[in-house]
Amino acid sequence: LELNDKEAKMIFAAKLYEMGKLSLGQAAELAGYSKITFMELLVDYGVPIFNYSPDELDHDLKNAKRYSL
C-alpha cells in the first residue's frame, strides 16, 4: 500500500468525520484542506457530507412539511 502523508491524513480525517468523532471543520483542518475542498474530496472516499439517520431525516421532513407555506 503506497500512501503519501497527505492521502493518509485525508483517509484518517474522512473516517473520523464519518464516525462523528470530528466536526467537518476539525476534519478539514486535520486533513489540511479548507472546508469546501474537504467536502468535495469526501465524495472520492464515499463519505456522505450529511450524516443523518433515517429517523432524523424523517423527523426533519415532517417538520418541514408542517411549517411550509
Side-chain angles (χ1 to χ4, degrees):
L1 181 65
E2 294 183 28
L3 292 175
N4 63 39
D5 289 345
K6 193 76 169 167
E7 291 170 316
K9 285 181 182 179
M10 181 61 199
I11 292 167
F12 186 57
K15 189 62 179 176
L16 290 175
Y17 172 72
E18 182 178 37
M19 295 171 61
K21 301 290 185 183
L22 294 178
S23 69
L24 182 68
Q26 291 168 328
E29 185 177 335
L30 177 63
Y33 293 106
S34 69
K35 283 184 187 180
I36 292 172
T37 300
F38 184 73
M39 286 189 295
E40 291 170 349
L41 291 171
L42 285 176
V43 174
D44 297 335
Y45 292 86
V47 177
I49 295 170
F50 302 106
N51 200 2
Y52 281 103
S53 71
D55 288 339
E56 289 173 314
L57 185 57
D58 187 48
H59 182 263
D60 285 352
L61 288 172
K62 285 179 182 173
N63 281 335
K65 287 178 185 176
R66 185 174 356 157
Y67 296 109
S68 65
L69 299 173

